[in-house]
Amino acid sequence: MEKKGLLIVISGPSGAGKGTICKEWMQNNPDAVLSISATTRAPRPMEKDSVNYFFKTREEFEAMIEENEFLEYAQVYDNYYGTPRKYVQQQLKEGRDVILEIDIQGALKVKDRFDTGIFIFIIPPSMEELKRRIVTRGTEDPNVILKRFSSAFEEINFIKRYNYVVVNDTVEEATKKVDAIIMAEKCRVDRNTELILQLQGGI
Ligand code: 5GP
């Protein structure tokens, strides 16, 4: 029986810890894949091209838009970010679960197209804690930190468009919750109609 993978979309304010949670979840779910986005943002010191992102110039990114290569793309904090379409569609077709760690604008575009996706919003335990995390990460200059922190207030207004909200108190607990959500979604009757039909038709 052919089984399509699940599309899991994870968003949340910068510093909420969504990247860490995704990586942690992936370690326990090696068959799933994390989509690598393209961006015009400059790489941070430890980031590698084709591993963390496909780093592109503005011209290259705009050419990709022209060629309809993105499942979604958005302008976030003055840079373009986009999800390459082919990779995601291929992985889902081959039955692998795909995680997209993308911003709200992108997530809402994906939601319009994939109503079977799972949309999870990660929030920090408090705004003070969020600020502490953005500052201690130390990868951005003060202007960028301020921009990201003030965006967080606006972003939280969009939680209602998501299916689930997970508070990131500790990475371990938050990852367990994400895992439980995905597990429960996989057990939904409407995701298992083929299996049920097969049982009904069986001897
Ligand atoms: P960062 O610069 O911290 O890596 O990412 C900034 C924001 O862009 C984060 O909220 C991240 O989830 C989002 N982002 C990363 N990749 C994509 C993408 O492909 N599409 C969209 N719409 N947002 C993305």
Side-chain angles (χ1 to χ4, degrees):
M1 186 172 54
E2 196 181 301
K3 193 141 176 62
K4 275 188 89 182
L6 218 56
L7 185 67
I8 303 145
V9 179
I10 301 208
S11 304
S14 189
K18 51 194 188 297
T20 316
I21 294 169
C22 287
K23 281 191 199 89
E24 190 75 14
W25 185 83
M26 294 288 300
Q27 285 204 334
N28 301 325
N29 295 275
D31 292 339
V33 294
L34 189 63
S35 159
I36 302 173
S37 299
T39 183
T40 57
R41 164 167 81 59
R44 292 179 185 141
M46 299 301 284
E47 287 181 335
K48 287 197 172 63
D49 188 40
S50 311
V51 175
N52 304 93
Y53 281 105
F54 297 108
F55 292 102
K56 303 284 174 193
T57 62
R58 237 182 145 74
E59 292 70 34
E60 285 169 338
F61 198 102
E62 282 167 357
M64 290 173 78
I65 297 174
E66 282 295 303
E67 295 297 317
N68 197 25
E69 287 184 36
F70 292 115
L71 188 66
E72 62 73 34
Y73 70 91
Q75 199 139 0
V76 190
Y77 316 123
D78 305 330
N79 282 299
Y80 279 129
Y81 292 81
T83 307
R85 175 200 305 280
K86 263 195 200 149
Y87 178 76
V88 173
Q89 288 182 334
Q90 186 64 28
Q91 296 298 320
L92 290 175
K93 203 170 144 214
E94 289 174 12
R96 277 178 217 103
D97 298 336
V98 179
I99 296 206
L100 305 186
E101 189 214 313
I102 60 176
D103 93 307
I104 293 154
Q105 308 165 68
L108 297 183
K109 285 181 206 161
V110 175
K111 199 163 184 237
D112 285 342
R113 294 201 198 155
F114 287 83
D115 58 349
T116 54
I118 306 172
F119 295 81
I120 305 174
F121 200 95
I122 309 286
I123 53 167
S126 69
M127 293 313 268
E128 289 76 40
E129 175 60 15
L130 183 75
K131 193 166 194 177
R132 196 192 63 75
R133 288 182 193 172
I134 300 177
V135 172
T136 54
R137 186 159 71 179
T139 49
E140 266 82 35
D141 72 50
N143 279 339
V144 176
I145 290 175
L146 197 67
K147 205 171 204 175
R148 288 189 173 217
F149 185 64
S150 49
S151 299
F153 283 93
E154 288 165 33
E155 289 168 10
I156 287 173
N157 291 329
F158 287 90
I159 290 184
K160 286 188 191 132
R161 304 287 309 274
Y162 286 72
N163 307 120
Y164 297 96
V165 60
V166 170
V167 180
N168 183 14
D169 272 321
T170 68
V171 172
E172 195 190 351
E173 285 304 310
T175 307
K176 268 192 213 161
K177 286 179 194 162
V178 167
D179 196 47
I181 291 166
I182 295 171
M183 202 85 97
E185 283 283 341
K186 285 189 178 181
C187 295
R188 276 172 52 157
V189 170
D190 58 2
R191 292 196 195 276
N192 289 280
T193 46
E194 268 190 56
L195 172 71
I196 296 163
L197 280 174
Q198 206 181 51
L199 285 174
Q200 285 172 329
I203 308 158

